[in-house]
Amino acid sequence: MRYLSTRGGMAPQPFTDVLLEGLAPDGGLAVPEAIPQVSPEQLQAWRALPYADLAYEVLKLFITDIPEDDLRALTRATYRPEVFGGEAIVPLKPLNPGLFLLGLSEGPTLAFKDMAMQFLGNLFEYVLARRGSTLNILGATSGDTGSAAEYAMRGKKGVAVFMLSPAGRMSAFQRAQMYSLQDDNIHNIAVHGVFDDCQDIVKAVSGDLTFKTTHRIGAVNSINWARIAAQVVYYFHGWRLATAGAADPMAQVSFAVPSGNFGNILAGHVARSMGLPIRRLVLATNENNVLEEFFRTGIYRPRASSETYETSSPSMDISKASNFERFVYDLMGRDPVRLKTLWDQLAEQGAFDLSARQPSLEAQYGFVSGTSTHADRLATIRQVRAETGVVIDPHTADGVKVARPYVEPGIPMLVLETALPVKFSATIEEALGEPAPRPAGFDGIEQLPQRVQTIEPDVQVVKDLIAASAA
Ligand SMILES: *Cc1c(COP(=O)(O)O)cnc(C)c1O
């Protein structure tokens, strides 16, 4: 399996080469040259596998330049009960009849990003050792991505992480999660400014090609294809759990996905394209509804960061979804020329109009969409707790709210649980009048010593920090 750019300007490359790159040289995103197909017989054979071995079966369709035994060892080293809170790795939790939560937040940082990032940590260490190389990961975070990356890369040989975060703007729990790490290869850099200032510094440092090459700067953002591939696995897993014992072995399920950068739900689209019986992919946004608008109208109109609201589901406060280009590539019949025409139009006019194709988004691809507001989030958190005793996080609440009208008899609806509520306790207190339940092992983490340097938003200072501690 080789990888191409959505914009057509990259010679086919093997997986491990695109793994270590960000955008393709032409500004596009790496995509597999074909979507691998899974037969009904294979699907049935995968039903009984442990999660790690299911991951191996799915990932080996995308990763053909790592020996199979090594790949199996990597998935087994990643998806272990000690790392993901128990034998299930990803449990299915019933809410109401026909409505379930898919428990993707049992990993070390209590958000679904651990599912892919933990694999990436092991994969990076393996690939870098084989190449005799090192990598310095530079990133900006407003919360979940940074901690997932740090917990995945801590102690890994050949890798260092330099993570910028806006000083004083994350929840106390999120700060404690990141800044309490004491590993030598993890560098927390708090910047006096907002998330966009952090992002601008990352762009400036990565844009200095001499510096980038000399210091082997890499990224783990959500456009990394390895993250998408690792996320495809849990759609297969969710399907097999929800249809175990069904009369029809190819029974359908639907998924509802709280969405921001379109990475999580893109993995669902890939799984469906591979032959997994998914009826609907329900895309949930918060007040930042660019994607909801596209799937409802066919018009894509990304917003400026000045038009992006700060909401109580902050990991979805995104108005320009970086992975969306990969879906549009499929929608354009995987034709890079047609894709590029749309992106040129986007650059010139700030929008493109595919309203003529809107009916096919549901009919052919299974996509429907909806939005959820702060009031919806609070009401949904209360309602789910009252009906089931389960406390859900604000992002997951957006998913449940948007999923409800699409629940159909006989077709399980699985809402992806993207984080645990303890990460966003202020909103839980607002909804329920009491703090979120705290999982074992997280008591008092706010009191642990923290390791973080606070700086002014200055590109040179960041470059100096990297040069001083590079892997
Ligand atoms: C990252 C994140 C999302 C959005 O996922 P995308 O892949 O960017 O669409 C939703 N909820 C939580 C809690 C997240 O951390």
Side-chain angles (χ1 to χ4, degrees):
M1 175 70 76
R2 294 176 310 167
Y3 290 81
L4 311 170
S5 166
T6 47
R7 304 202 191 163
M10 182 174 86
Q13 290 191 18
F15 173 84
T16 51
D17 285 355
V18 297
L19 170 69
L20 300 174
E21 298 297 327
L23 287 176
D26 63 353
L29 275 65
V31 283
E33 58 189 348
I35 300 295
Q37 296 300 304
V38 176
S39 68
E41 293 71 35
Q42 257 173 322
L43 274 178
Q44 302 314 325
W46 291 355
R47 279 191 180 275
L49 297 176
Y51 189 92
D53 292 350
L54 174 68
Y56 162 73
E57 294 293 339
V58 173
L59 287 166
K60 83 171 180 193
L61 303 174
F62 294 101
I63 307 176
T64 53
D65 58 333
I66 291 178
E68 291 191 351
D69 287 348
D70 291 0
L71 185 61
R72 191 191 292 274
L74 285 169
T75 62
R76 286 185 178 171
T78 303
Y79 299 108
R80 286 183 289 134
E82 310 87 78
V83 180
F84 286 95
E87 289 296 334
I89 309 293
V90 175
L92 188 68
K93 312 172 199 176
L95 289 182
N96 306 115
L99 187 66
F100 301 82
L101 285 183
L102 189 62
L104 300 174
S105 302
E106 309 291 322
T109 74
L110 314 181
F112 86 96
K113 291 187 173 74
D114 288 330
M115 294 303 304
M117 207 72 91
Q118 286 286 316
F119 177 64
L120 220 59
N122 289 321
L123 194 58
F124 274 8
E125 185 173 58
Y126 169 86
V127 171
L128 292 169
R130 224 171 45 157
R131 296 185 172 198
S133 182
T134 59
L135 189 70
N136 294 295
I137 292 166
L138 174 63
T141 187
S142 54
D144 295 338
T145 305
S147 54
E150 292 188 354
Y151 281 77
M153 304 297 162
R154 62 187 297 201
K156 291 280 183 279
K157 286 190 272 307
V159 187
V161 178
F162 297 84
M163 191 57 66
L164 310 184
S165 51
R169 284 178 189 259
M170 297 186 296
S171 75
F173 186 89
Q174 286 179 312
R175 280 203 301 273
Q177 266 191 318
M178 284 180 58
Y179 300 167
S180 65
L181 287 181
Q182 301 295 332
D183 305 75
D184 290 339
N185 70 330
I186 302 299
H187 307 279
N188 286 304
I189 304 170
V191 177
H192 282 302
V194 294
F195 172 70
D196 280 336
D197 298 314
C198 301
Q199 188 85 316
D200 288 345
I201 296 175
V202 170
K203 282 187 191 148
V205 175
S206 316
D208 177 345
L209 292 183
T210 313
F211 186 87
K212 184 177 179 207
T213 314
T214 315
H215 295 287
R216 301 165 310 283
I217 303 297
V220 289
N221 46 26
S222 74
I223 59 162
N224 192 303
W225 179 261
R227 284 183 60 182
I228 305 296
Q231 290 172 183
V232 169
V233 178
Y234 50 69
Y235 286 88
F236 283 85
H237 177 73
W239 170 80
R240 67 181 185 167
L241 292 181
T243 60
D248 175 3
M250 291 295 282
Q252 290 187 316
V253 306
S254 291
F255 290 94
V257 188
S259 292
N261 258 323
F262 203 76
N264 201 356
I265 200 163
L266 178 78
H269 162 70
V270 173
R272 193 173 183 276
S273 309
M274 292 168 75
L276 188 68
I278 297 176
R279 172 157 163 75
R280 278 194 174 125
L281 290 165
V282 182
L283 179 137
T285 66
N286 62 23
E287 291 88 337
N288 296 294
N289 70 333
V290 177
L291 292 171
E292 178 275 328
E293 181 178 82
F294 173 77
F295 285 98
R296 178 167 44 84
T297 66
I299 296 170
Y300 182 57
R301 192 172 55 87
R303 321 273 199 268
S305 41
S306 59
E307 289 177 274
T308 306
Y309 305 106
E310 263 186 57
T311 77
S312 50
S313 46
S315 299
M316 294 157 64
D317 291 349
I318 288 165
S319 296
K320 207 171 140 203
S322 43
N323 268 297
F324 182 61
E325 182 170 336
R326 286 185 167 122
F327 172 70
V328 178
Y329 177 74
D330 283 356
L331 191 61
M332 294 294 104
R334 313 197 98 219
D335 177 348
V337 178
R338 289 173 72 197
L339 186 281
K340 219 172 153 296
T341 308
L342 287 178
W343 252 255
D344 289 345
Q345 204 174 321
L346 198 56
E348 280 158 30
Q349 300 165 15
F352 59 70
D353 183 347
L354 293 175
S355 47
R357 298 289 306 275
Q358 195 279 336
S360 75
L361 298 175
E362 180 173 1
Q364 191 181 343
Y365 296 96
F367 272 99
V368 291
S369 65
T371 57
S372 164
T373 63
H374 181 68
D376 291 328
R377 233 162 272 142
L378 298 183
T380 306
I381 290 168
R382 280 189 209 112
Q383 185 192 10
V384 169
R385 216 270 297 256
E387 288 175 0
T388 68
V390 176
V391 181
I392 58 174
D393 108 287
H395 307 77
T396 308
D398 289 334
V400 171
K401 188 287 167 168
V402 173
R404 282 200 195 278
Y406 292 107
V407 176
E408 300 166 282
I411 301 179
M413 170 67 77
L414 280 59
V415 179
L416 303 197
E417 180 187 52
T418 54
L420 292 194
V422 69
K423 296 193 89 166
F424 304 97
S425 199
T427 302
I428 303 303
E429 286 204 54
E430 192 181 340
L432 302 177
E434 58 189 66
R438 202 169 264 247
F442 288 89
D443 285 326
I445 69 162
E446 290 91 341
Q447 276 74 52
L448 294 174
Q450 299 194 350
R451 187 162 165 272
V452 54
Q453 285 166 285
T454 305
I455 65 165
E456 294 306 315
D458 183 333
V459 174
Q460 190 56 46
V461 172
V462 172
K463 284 183 175 173
D464 293 345
L465 288 172
I466 294 173
S469 308

